[in-house]
Amino acid sequence: MKERKNQNNAIYVGIDVGGTSIKFGIFDKNKNLIDKFSINTEIKKNCNEKHLINAIFDIVSEYYNSKKLKENKILGIGFAMPGPVINNKLLHAININWKKEYDIVSATKKRFGKNTKVCVLNDANAAALGEYNYTLKEKYESICLITLGTGVGTGIIINGKLIEGKSGIAGEVSHIRVDYSDSAVKCNCGNIGCVETMASCTGLINIYNRLINKDSTTKNIYRDNQSSKNGAREIIHLAKRGDSVALNALNIALDNLSKLIVILMHVYEPEVILIGGGMSNAGAIIINIIKKHLKEKVFMTKLLPNIMIAKLKNDAGLCGAVVNL
């Protein structure tokens, strides 16, 4: 999707809030992305929901002032948030220290006007909507997006409709337990051995550490975002070069991911499984290993879903945030 330089019609704003960064996308009246930028997420000790959302609003206002645009031209603002969402309300978001429900819609309308359209979505659901509507809608009706980053995010669209559930956790299949070993890692959700602890970038690092330190206790870096990002990249680089330990670690991680995909196939049978997030930058090696493990696990059908790398990359959440405005 090409970005356009003419910003006179920048009337929709997409905001993708994460624990590491907050991304902003500016869209024209046809919802084409025409500009984007990001800032680091700063969660201060005394920062609460209201402080962070007001800081985000200030950045949107600063952008419009810098472009000599009027805020009343903003027709809609969409939010992709790292937590469960019901009826446009974020219930909580551990990664950004939001411990209680917060009404983003009311806060946005109070700041930018009561006629401003507002949409709040879970970040993985927003990314799935973005990928589906901007790249796949003409060919497919049912897809599942799996993002492999610091954690594992999942968004599911069946027959063109996003699956959210009554309490907002439908699609959070990355918190299904797959590791029952003594070395199973505790997940941020409170469970032990979730897919997220095994197939994410941080999960890959923990597997690699266990393989090279079988007789010693290794540091659990599951919560260390920066280490997970850089470490996983290095392990994949080693795997591509034929390093046996790194390749074994990657196989174990993606074998656990394939267990999740088999469950998705039996419950939803999506036509496409999209792989996004930082690990997807590895490209073909990821897809080939997943396909190999799927063939070993699927018995009810030989018709496997198309396994593809997501196309929108970091723009997926931004695009999905404005789809329903």
Side-chain angles (χ1 to χ4, degrees):
M1 182 175 52
K2 296 182 179 179
E3 295 173 43
R4 299 179 183 177
K5 295 182 179 180
N6 181 2
Q7 297 169 0
N8 291 329
N9 293 320
I11 54 178
Y12 289 103
V13 181
I15 302 171
D16 188 353
V17 180
T20 303
S21 67
I22 301 174
K23 295 181 281 291
F24 296 79
I26 312 300
F27 296 78
D28 66 17
K29 64 181 181 180
N30 296 315
K31 297 180 182 176
N32 295 303
L33 182 63
I34 59 177
D35 198 11
K36 61 182 179 179
F37 59 94
S38 66
I39 62 169
N40 293 330
T41 306
E42 294 184 10
I43 307 297
K44 298 179 180 178
K45 190 173 183 179
N46 296 323
C47 179
N48 61 21
E49 297 81 6
K50 185 177 180 179
H51 287 135
L52 183 56
I53 203 70
N54 282 336
I56 290 171
F57 291 160
D58 288 342
I59 291 168
V60 173
S61 295
E62 288 173 11
Y63 175 87
Y64 268 73
N65 289 335
S66 70
K67 301 298 180 181
K68 296 182 179 179
L69 298 170
K70 295 180 179 180
E71 288 182 8
N72 60 14
K73 289 188 66 178
I74 302 177
L75 294 186
I77 300 179
F79 296 85
M81 304 297 293
V85 175
I86 301 177
N87 297 325
N88 276 323
K89 289 186 178 181
L90 178 67
L91 302 188
H92 55 79
I94 298 172
N95 291 340
I96 57 173
N97 200 33
W98 285 31
K99 299 178 181 179
K100 60 183 180 181
E101 181 179 313
Y102 189 77
D103 190 350
I104 297 175
V105 175
S106 295
T108 305
K109 288 180 177 291
K110 182 177 180 180
R111 177 66 178 264
F112 295 101
K114 63 180 182 180
N115 293 324
T116 305
K117 296 179 181 178
V118 186
C119 180
V120 184
L121 292 166
N122 166 267
D123 53 1
N125 286 342
L129 276 177
E131 290 287 350
Y132 176 72
N133 283 276
Y134 281 79
T135 71
L136 297 170
K137 192 174 183 178
E138 300 302 319
K139 291 184 178 180
Y140 304 102
E141 292 185 344
S142 301
I143 72 161
C144 177
L145 171 69
I146 303 175
T147 58
L148 305 178
T150 304
V152 175
T154 49
I156 301 170
I157 294 175
I158 302 298
N159 295 327
K161 295 183 179 181
L162 180 67
I163 303 298
E164 294 180 283
K166 184 177 180 179
S167 64
I169 68 165
E172 293 286 356
V173 289
S174 59
H175 294 289
I176 293 173
R177 186 173 183 179
V178 293
D179 184 5
Y180 288 87
S181 69
D182 293 337
S183 58
V185 176
K186 186 175 181 179
C187 182
N188 286 336
C189 75
N191 196 9
I192 297 174
C194 292
V195 173
E196 181 163 299
T197 69
M198 296 294 289
S200 63
C201 290
T202 38
L204 175 62
I205 291 172
N206 283 329
I207 294 169
Y208 181 78
N209 284 343
R210 290 201 295 268
L211 290 176
I212 62 175
N213 298 283
K214 287 184 178 180
D215 299 322
S216 63
T217 302
T218 60
K219 180 182 179 183
N220 182 348
I221 61 170
Y222 182 59
R223 297 176 185 273
D224 189 338
N225 291 353
Q226 193 58 40
S227 293
S228 67
K229 181 179 179 180
N230 295 332
R233 185 185 298 119
E234 179 61 23
I235 292 169
I236 292 172
H237 176 68
L238 289 171
K240 286 183 174 181
R241 294 176 58 185
D243 180 273
S244 60
V245 177
L247 189 57
N248 190 14
L250 188 59
N251 263 287
I252 293 171
L254 296 179
D255 180 40
N256 282 284
L257 182 66
S258 72
K259 296 175 184 177
L260 173 63
I261 294 176
V262 170
I263 293 172
L264 290 170
M265 289 176 62
H266 281 276
V267 177
Y268 297 111
E269 196 175 10
E271 300 164 275
V272 177
I273 299 287
L274 289 174
I275 306 298
M279 204 184 295
S280 69
N281 293 326
I285 188 172
I286 299 289
I287 301 301
N288 292 337
I289 292 175
I290 292 173
K291 287 182 177 179
K292 170 181 172 291
H293 288 297
L294 277 182
K295 289 178 181 178
E296 296 170 352
K297 293 179 174 63
V298 177
F299 301 102
M300 296 294 290
T301 179
K302 296 299 180 183
L303 185 63
L304 299 179
N306 292 319
I307 313 292
M308 302 187 296
I309 297 295
K311 294 182 179 180
L312 296 182
K313 303 294 183 182
N314 288 334
D315 295 339
L318 296 174
C319 294
V322 303
V323 163
N324 292 330
L325 292 174

